[in-house]
Amino acid sequence: MPLIHRILRLLSLLTVCVYAADVNVVFNLDNSQVAPDGFTRAGVIVNGVFPGTLIQANKDDTLHIAVNDALTDPTMRRSVSIHWHGLFQMRTGSEDGPAFVNQCPIAPGHSYTYDIPLNGQAGTFWYHSHLSSQYVDGLRGALVIYDPVDPHLSLYDVDDASTVITLADWYHNPAPGMEEIFLQGNDEPIPDSGLINGIGRYVGGPQVIRAHVNVEQGKRYRFRVVNISAYAAFRFSIEGHDLTIIEVDGISHVPHTVGGFDIYVAQRYSVVLNANQPVANYWIRGPMTLQHSSDNKNLDTNNVFAVLHYTGASDAEPTTQASGNVNNLLQEYQLAALINPGAPGGNAPADRSIDLNFGMNVNNGRLEWEINDISYLPPDLPTLLNIIANGFTSEANFTRTEHTFVIDRNEVVELVIHGSPNGHIHPFHLHGHAFDVVQSMQGPANFINPPRRDVVGVGGSTVIIRFQADNPGPWFFHCHWHLEAGLAVVFAERPVDQISGPQSEIIKQSWLDLCSIYKALPPDQQ
Ligand SMILES: *[C@@H]1O[C@H](CO)[C@@H](O)[C@H](O)[C@H]1NC(C)=O
Ligand SMILES: *[C@@H]1O[C@H](CO)[C@@H](O)[C@H](O)[C@H]1NC(C)=O
């Protein structure tokens, strides 16, 4: 990087370091019409755009996100709650979003402001509705927290809004109707198209102009690739360019160069791309992989492209074959956390080891996914409210279907997640923590320098993760789409410390009010 750029960047960083800013964001939610793949439909839409507004902040800032719910369409959920995926939410479990774990939903016609101090956390995150399957209808977007002293700063020249790349699956029908069919015991609904940066095509639809990601020859770019998909996985690669992974789900990793990677629902990778190829247009490819054969004629799983456009090249699409073959595909187990590597507790037995076995049943015509024979059902009052207001501190206080484990102070917790019998891949997300993946889907066990992340794919084999109970709060652990069918548990981490003491929850009156307002709603507005 030229010296003058280095000096300018240093100066801008110094100002950033000094001021921990308040970042005010407004989310106006309505049922705007959108057409990301050329098919126009109403959605649950943030500020009139899909994906929703990009949130950007620095690591010591505090986010204040005012959510104004103006949803009116009866074919979709009208109440709302929003999860800020990957943020640790130290002392602010009330702002984490999952309906009936962390809050009551925000009622239509009402507003709520999420106040989230970032406490030095940086990386690539995303947000989405955490009420039922509402996020499928469009309430999803990227959230990037910059670190002025990022350990990988010397590896790239450009890292801004233009280098965020979102991958999404998209449906033409409202989610509640599709969910109902799924819960009657059918396969997961198949999307109509795959989108890169909110743009895609479906079979027989218009030739929507593909998203362009612009680069200048000679510069190095930090692309933040975010899978904001509901169900589909993508195999991401960029024609003619290697990708050096430096961040995984908000955690810096040892640089690792690959030809491409599979990215499951909710996962994120930061990759460095060196624009060192001849000035031209190159395919950015994200073919989707599905867990069962498609019954949706609109979907062409291979037709998920954007264009990497070098300044000076024509505006035309690349003319090369758009093959999705990837050499040197990432194997998750090859990733190593950069800072303070090593699983909590090393390879000694964990303080608390919990086996999780999946099962599936059809009960009275309803599909139920189970963990250890229990299908999760949301309680009437949020877990957090029951802890801080009603003194729920022991496992016996929660109902069986709340499937809540109480975790003690600073315990090393190991989750032994046994794969599903049919080998289908379920991406599991733990709230409130990043965890060490000591046994990934492939490769050997590793306690010394395993990958550290917040979403892990679990297929047919056993996956083992570890985290330390250093963040009191009610934290959900679930598979994305199958959450609706009960594939979830809750960790009530250190309930006594949530109630009082230096790590206790900061509770706002406006948060308490959410429940009385929501409970008074007629069912069709909930
Ligand atoms: C995003 O996640 C979905 C669901 O797991 C997956 O089908 C899709 O392939 C992922 N995208 C990428 C680029 O891997
Ligand atoms: C929670 O469970 C414990 C242990 O069974 C019991 O002593 C206590 O009364 C319960 N608390 C509430 C609020 O139900």
Side-chain angles (χ1 to χ4, degrees):
M1 171 163 49
L3 185 62
I4 182 68
H5 286 178
R6 278 179 200 274
I7 292 171
L8 285 176
R9 177 180 274 202
L10 195 62
L11 284 176
S12 70
L13 298 186
L14 287 176
T15 38
V16 167
C17 289
V18 175
Y19 303 108
D22 286 295
V23 175
N24 294 296
V25 182
V26 176
F27 273 15
N28 289 318
L29 305 184
D30 66 15
N31 298 113
S32 285
Q33 304 271 337
V34 291
D37 60 1
F39 177 94
T40 302
R41 61 160 285 192
V44 175
I45 301 298
V46 180
N47 296 335
V49 290
F50 178 83
T53 309
L54 171 68
I55 299 179
Q56 295 170 288
N58 287 300
K59 68 177 184 177
D60 290 310
D61 294 348
T62 297
L63 298 175
H64 305 282
I65 305 152
V67 176
N68 303 315
D69 181 343
L71 299 168
T72 54
D73 187 325
T75 67
M76 290 173 274
R77 292 298 293 263
R78 284 184 265 180
S79 292
V80 71
S81 72
I82 305 180
H83 175 48
W84 318 95
H85 181 120
L87 299 185
F88 293 144
Q89 302 281 13
M90 281 174 273
R91 302 195 64 201
T92 51
S94 60
E95 314 300 279
D96 194 43
F100 305 109
V101 177
N102 303 76
Q103 68 168 96
C104 286
I106 306 163
H110 287 78
S111 301
Y112 178 74
T113 299
Y114 290 90
D115 298 299
I116 309 170
L118 295 169
N119 296 313
Q121 192 180 4
T124 310
F125 306 95
W126 67 300
Y127 60 82
H128 61 86
S129 163
H130 218 302
L131 173 65
S132 180
S133 53
Q134 188 181 46
Y135 76 114
V136 176
D137 285 325
L139 205 177
R140 5 179 184 153
L143 191 172
V144 177
I145 319 266
Y146 298 96
D147 181 356
V149 291
D150 175 34
H152 290 312
L153 215 49
S154 66
L155 299 182
Y156 53 88
D157 307 305
V158 184
D159 176 26
D160 57 23
S162 76
T163 62
V164 175
I165 300 178
T166 61
L167 306 166
D169 47 10
W170 186 250
Y171 295 81
H172 292 171
N173 296 312
M178 296 190 301
E179 183 187 327
E180 179 54 31
I181 293 169
F182 166 63
L183 291 176
Q184 284 166 7
N186 296 292
D187 280 337
E188 298 83 354
I190 295 290
D192 293 285
S193 58
L195 314 178
I196 300 183
N197 283 351
I199 297 177
R201 295 181 184 177
Y202 67 96
V203 176
Q207 301 296 298
V208 181
I209 296 176
R210 306 213 188 254
H212 279 54
V213 176
N214 298 314
V215 295
E216 270 177 57
Q217 196 185 39
K219 286 192 176 167
R220 300 160 308 161
Y221 293 80
R222 177 180 184 153
F223 288 133
R224 295 171 179 267
V225 184
V226 190
N227 190 346
I228 63 170
S229 127
Y231 170 63
F234 299 83
R235 176 159 291 181
F236 185 84
S237 64
I238 301 182
E239 184 184 24
H241 296 77
D242 281 337
L243 305 171
T244 300
I245 296 177
I246 57 171
E247 179 218 335
V248 179
D249 295 355
I251 305 285
S252 293
H253 277 65
V254 176
H256 179 68
T257 300
V258 295
F261 49 85
D262 287 334
I263 178 166
Y264 297 108
V265 171
Q267 293 186 326
R268 294 88 66 208
Y269 290 101
S270 277
V271 296
V272 175
L273 173 138
N274 192 345
N276 59 4
Q277 294 301 302
V279 168
N281 293 301
Y282 299 85
W283 287 120
I284 298 174
R285 306 182 183 109
M288 299 162 84
T289 41
L290 303 171
Q291 299 290 340
H292 63 84
S293 57
S294 170
D295 53 5
N296 186 341
K297 292 192 173 62
N298 284 342
L299 180 67
D300 175 355
T301 52
N302 288 315
N303 192 356
V304 186
F305 294 103
V307 176
L308 182 77
H309 173 80
Y310 276 62
T311 304
S314 75
D315 282 338
E317 286 187 358
T319 51
T320 45
Q321 278 290 317
S323 132
N325 290 342
V326 173
N327 294 319
N328 191 17
L329 186 71
L330 171 70
Q331 303 290 321
E332 182 183 63
Y333 74 88
Q334 297 166 331
L335 296 166
L338 180 72
I339 295 165
N340 196 12
N347 62 3
D351 300 313
R352 180 96 187 262
S353 182
I354 301 173
D355 279 80
L356 302 174
N357 287 289
F358 309 162
M360 199 183 73
N361 261 323
V362 179
N363 205 348
N364 292 327
R366 304 298 288 177
L367 180 72
E368 288 184 349
W369 277 88
E370 298 171 338
I371 295 181
N372 300 349
D373 299 325
I374 300 175
S375 189
Y376 175 84
L377 281 178
D380 283 345
L381 285 182
T383 310
L384 177 59
L385 190 63
N386 272 329
I387 292 170
I388 55 152
N390 297 330
F392 283 24
T393 52
S394 96
E395 272 168 26
N397 300 142
F398 299 93
T399 62
R400 177 180 146 88
T401 53
E402 285 178 76
H403 211 174
T404 299
F405 295 85
V406 170
I407 301 293
D408 289 334
R409 193 178 293 171
N410 292 334
E411 276 186 326
V412 170
V413 181
E414 179 172 272
L415 304 182
V416 182
I417 313 163
H418 300 284
S420 62
N422 60 15
H424 287 182
I425 295 175
H426 297 269
F428 270 89
H429 171 42
L430 176 63
H431 292 231
H433 289 276
F435 46 74
D436 281 80
V437 185
V438 300
Q439 176 64 67
S440 177
M441 277 193 283
Q442 290 97 20
N446 177 2
F447 294 89
I448 297 165
N449 59 349
R452 186 174 294 152
R453 62 186 322 164
D454 62 35
V455 179
V456 68
V458 180
S461 61
T462 296
V463 165
I464 304 175
I465 66 175
R466 279 191 175 198
F467 65 95
Q468 184 153 30
D470 55 8
N471 187 22
W475 306 127
F476 222 172
F477 179 69
H478 63 87
C479 166
H480 256 261
W481 183 268
H482 298 100
L483 163 61
E484 279 316 296
L487 200 55
V489 298
V490 174
F491 295 105
E493 182 170 331
R494 304 166 54 177
V496 172
D497 294 334
Q498 294 181 44
I499 297 169
S500 63
Q503 288 181 276
S504 59
E505 292 292 327
I506 301 162
I507 297 297
K508 303 180 288 189
Q509 186 60 43
S510 58
W511 180 85
L512 291 167
D513 293 343
L514 288 171
C515 284
S516 47
I517 299 171
Y518 178 82
K519 296 285 174 201
L521 289 174
D524 67 323
Q525 290 188 29
Q526 290 190 344

